Amino acid sequence: MKFNLDVVEIVSHIDELSRFHSTIVAAGLADTLKNAQAITLFAPENEAFDKLQGSTIMSALEDAEKAKNILTYHVVPEKLVASNLRKEKSVTTMQGATLKIEEHRWLRHGMKVNDAVVKEADIEGTNGVIHIIDTVLVP
């Protein structure tokens, strides 16, 4: 799917990404991501945040600096659609750490990022691509 909107605007219009969007805004990353060129965003769905209730990760997401560290771990500073991503074994995030990419033929989109399953792939915007995942990634 291609849209004539930046990745942050797209995330703001997808109901299942509302918690991810509000975390981006609260951490002060919205403008950074809107102005970034050619990024890949691994966006955890709302259920991924529900799994974290009461955890130290959820507490970290409520602190802007810690949240920024976790959220930039979900961003790769290059545009990687699923067909390109499948060719990679790992990618380096905006945060500086590495995400492991695995191909799994029995999954809907055939990919896992660390332990997160890609539930929806290739939502393209003007400045990048979004892949919806089922888990909040932790650096």
Side-chain angles (χ1 to χ4, degrees):
M1 290 182 275
K2 285 190 176 190
F3 297 94
N4 195 26
L5 301 168
D6 67 63
V7 293
V8 176
E9 289 175 293
I10 294 170
V11 167
S12 75
H13 291 293
I14 300 174
D15 289 341
E16 67 189 88
L17 299 179
S18 62
R19 302 224 5 228
F20 184 61
H21 181 259
S22 61
T23 306
I24 288 169
V25 171
L29 276 176
D31 287 339
T32 300
L33 297 177
K34 282 179 181 231
N35 295 320
Q37 296 301 312
I39 60 173
T40 300
L41 188 60
F42 294 102
E45 64 186 355
N46 290 343
E47 288 179 20
F49 287 91
D50 292 340
K51 295 179 204 174
L52 298 176
Q53 290 306 317
S55 72
T56 55
I57 298 163
M58 196 64 197
S59 298
L61 287 169
E62 293 167 2
D63 174 283
E65 278 309 306
K66 290 178 184 173
K68 204 176 281 191
N69 184 51
I70 292 170
L71 292 171
T72 55
Y73 188 60
H74 291 77
V75 183
V76 176
E78 62 181 301
K79 184 178 177 182
L80 295 166
V81 294
S83 59
N84 297 117
L85 203 52
R86 282 189 190 91
K87 297 172 189 170
E88 303 292 330
K89 297 287 182 221
S90 64
V91 291
T92 303
T93 67
M94 184 182 279
Q95 182 258 9
T98 302
L99 295 174
K100 181 174 68 170
I101 308 299
E102 293 181 89
E103 192 169 359
H104 289 278
R105 298 200 187 284
W106 65 87
L107 297 174
R108 180 174 176 203
H109 292 285
M111 280 186 301
K112 284 181 89 174
V113 178
N114 287 359
D115 291 324
V117 173
V118 175
K119 295 186 79 175
E120 192 65 43
D122 296 344
I123 303 167
E124 292 187 64
T126 56
N127 68 332
V129 63
I130 301 164
H131 304 291
I132 299 175
I133 57 176
D134 70 348
T135 304
V136 175
L137 303 170
V138 182

